[in-house]
Amino acid sequence: MPHSVSPKADSHNDTNNAAEAIMADAPIPNDNSQQNADNDVAMTEANAADVPATDGEEKKEVKLEDLFADAADAESDEEFPSSRPVKDYFSSSPEAPDLPSEAPAPAASSNPELLRIFYQRFFPWRYLFQWLNHSPVTTNTNDFVHREFAFTLQFEAQAKEVYQRYQSYTGADTLRKDVVRLLPTRFEIGPVYSTNPRERKMLRNTSAFKPLAKELCFDIDLTDYDDIRTCCDKANICNLCWQFMTMAIKVLDVALREDFGFKHILWVYSGRRGAHAWVCDKKARSMDDQKRRAIAGYLEVIRGGAQSGKKVNLWRPLHPHLSRSLEILAPHFQTDVLEAQDPWSSSERAEHLLSLLPNKALNDSLRKKWDSSPGRSSTSKWADIDSLAKSGASKNLDTKALLEAKQDVVLEYTYPRLDIEVSKKLNHLLKSPFVVHPGTGRVCVPIDTRKLEDFDPLSVPTVQGLADEIDSFSNIKNEDHEGGVAGEEKGKNLQDWEKTSLKPYVDYFRNFVVALMRDEKEPKVKREREEGESMEF
């Protein structure tokens, strides 16, 4: 049965009707709005340190040289210097552990009642507005007013969907009202245009309507890993294959920060099987398509579809970005690919591995050994490459070429697989953070890169779970009140999202937004100070 939540479930909702006029967490325009917003930012800054780069803690101490051991000792020492203690992970042939069964996905939820409750009471409209406006109030910028929003509307009676583009709003409250009224199954965020998108048809010169700015975005989807993941396929995911997403976030996050100097990068769970990155720095938002294509091309390594052969073709010596990526990915290749996925367990998959190696004689020897040992694990097969190469199975073996081929294999099975088109165009739209995925009911929450290894996509809040949590909170408060405790004071000043498991995700987003607004404001303050000083005699 559909879950029913009374709009008077707690004292906070006694003002529910008034919220339709001015929502509780929206910036209220008045003469002191800028000062109040600045005070709010100042109070939050102590807890709003810039979200740091991806956690570098390794799951398992794997020396990168060990992945390419014995293929070319001299080249390996020069290519991958390391101060980490040597540990031999390929001296034995442990069998891969049994894979855990996939956790069931939450029930699909696009119930209009639940969606309305979520967007009325849980969605962080205020912080979404501040994030896109880069300021607490609209008087300082058109970044929100000229921003495009797009809705996917579901008409069950007609069994069809309608995609509604070029919507724009004067503030968070007007956007909220429209979402609550229309209840889109999803809504997307586009660029900031030269004029209000709703007024584009009123322009005499239609060419004057053009996108000016948008976050640099990246989209990664686990379906693009179907040819290498063995635990799941299509829209299904589990914690084993989610590690591919963890690898991707680590590699891209450090590259965007260290190679391009970006600072404000928001990673968001897509709600089912992927993740999105929003690079929010001002210099990223103002890039044209040519610069976006250049960055996308810099980060794109895996090319070719699921049925294609070799997907990694690189110049040597490797670019520093790729050498660094190999260092990051080495422990994941050992534990999350060789052991957890066992990608070459079948003869067909093992043949793909052999097709990536450069020496026919070595390949024949490997094939013979593996055919005589059915069920040999991928960890053992990977170690066999070096052991047979060292034994002289091929007299004309080019050890340097073998080393490079093994590096390419590691990258093919670990490096991020990007939906590159999302990153190339300024006018590309992307799903908003905190929307509800219509198929899973999960909220598209931000991913805290400080705790990246702990993120579990199967345990993020769902719209049904949040409705249950707020009911439980109200029941506990009522019980406290009946027992003589000042229950009416408990939670009186809390937003509904603060009473649920959504709180840490909204807190993270709020701190991210505060840090972004602070950096947007500081250059202006510094410039005004310098101009003032230049006027002194």
Side-chain angles (χ1 to χ4, degrees), residues 58 64 93 96 133 169 203 220 252 266 276 299 304 335 337 368 372 406-407 428 435 438 445 458 482 526 533 536-537:
E58 295 181 348
L64 185 59
S93 302
N133 195 57
Y169 300 91
L203 297 174
I220 315 168
L252 293 180
L266 181 69
H276 302 152
L299 295 170
T335 58
V337 176
K368 182 177 180 181
S372 65
K406 291 186 69 182
Q407 292 171 348
H428 200 289
V435 301
V445 295
L458 302 179
E482 292 172 1
K526 182 179 179 181
E533 291 172 352
E536 295 179 0
F537 294 95

Side-chain angles (χ1 to χ4, degrees), residues 19-248:
E20 288 299 321
I22 300 288
M23 65 180 176
D25 64 349
I28 302 175
N30 57 45
D31 294 339
N32 298 320
S33 59
Q34 178 66 58
Q35 180 180 352
N36 294 337
D38 289 345
N39 291 339
D40 180 52
V41 169
M43 293 177 64
T44 313
E45 279 181 355
N47 298 320
D50 295 334
V51 179
T54 307
D55 188 356
E57 180 181 352
E58 295 181 348
K59 297 166 63 177
K60 192 172 183 179
E61 187 77 10
V62 179
K63 195 171 190 297
L64 185 59
E65 290 92 322
D66 293 337
L67 292 176
F68 313 110
D70 301 324
D73 292 339
E75 291 85 347
S76 180
D77 290 341
E78 294 173 3
E79 191 76 17
F80 304 106
S82 174
S83 59
R84 289 179 289 180
V86 177
K87 193 169 184 180
D88 184 6
Y89 283 86
F90 306 106
S91 58
S92 60
S93 302
E95 296 298 324
D98 292 334
L99 300 182
S101 58
E102 180 187 346
S109 178
S110 56
N111 183 299
E113 181 185 1
L114 286 174
L115 285 178
R116 181 172 287 106
I117 291 168
F118 177 80
Y119 288 118
Q120 281 181 329
R121 301 174 58 180
F122 299 111
F123 194 96
W125 296 106
R126 177 183 184 182
Y127 304 125
L128 184 84
F129 164 80
Q130 293 176 347
W131 171 51
L132 297 176
N133 195 57
H134 312 108
S135 172
V137 291
T138 54
T139 54
N140 293 341
T141 172
N142 285 325
D143 286 0
F144 187 87
V145 176
H146 289 180
R147 175 79 70 159
E148 177 190 2
F149 294 89
F151 300 146
T152 301
L153 306 178
Q154 182 74 48
F155 295 93
E156 294 184 1
Q158 300 171 344
K160 68 176 183 178
E161 283 187 346
V162 174
Y163 190 56
Q164 190 176 58
R165 286 196 61 182
Y166 300 114
Q167 305 303 299
S168 61
Y169 300 91
T170 57
D173 190 47
T174 53
L175 172 60
R176 172 186 178 272
K177 286 181 178 179
D178 233 15
V179 170
V180 171
R181 177 178 64 87
L182 296 172
L183 293 180
T185 55
R186 61 187 276 170
F187 70 84
E188 297 176 322
I189 298 171
V192 179
Y193 280 92
S194 52
T195 191
N196 188 321
R198 287 184 185 267
E199 300 172 358
R200 69 193 185 283
K201 294 182 179 180
M202 299 171 60
L203 297 174
R204 292 184 178 180
N205 182 6
T206 56
S207 63
F209 179 69
K210 58 184 178 180
L212 300 179
K214 189 182 76 74
E215 295 75 11
L216 174 64
C217 296
F218 296 91
D219 183 9
I220 315 168
D221 195 312
L222 278 173
T223 53
D224 292 327
Y225 291 78
D226 280 356
D227 61 317
I228 59 175
R229 61 174 178 158
T230 59
C231 51
C232 305
D233 65 356
K234 299 179 181 178
N236 303 308
I237 67 166
C238 68
N239 286 313
L240 289 181
C241 55
W242 183 258
Q243 294 309 309
F244 288 114
M245 204 60 56
T246 299
M247 302 177 215

Side-chain angles (χ1 to χ4, degrees), residues 115 134 152 207 310 356 360 395 456 476 479 491 500:
L115 285 178
H134 312 108
T152 301
S207 63
K310 196 173 189 294
L356 303 177
K360 184 178 185 304
K395 299 186 183 301
D456 180 2
I476 292 173
E479 290 173 2
T500 69

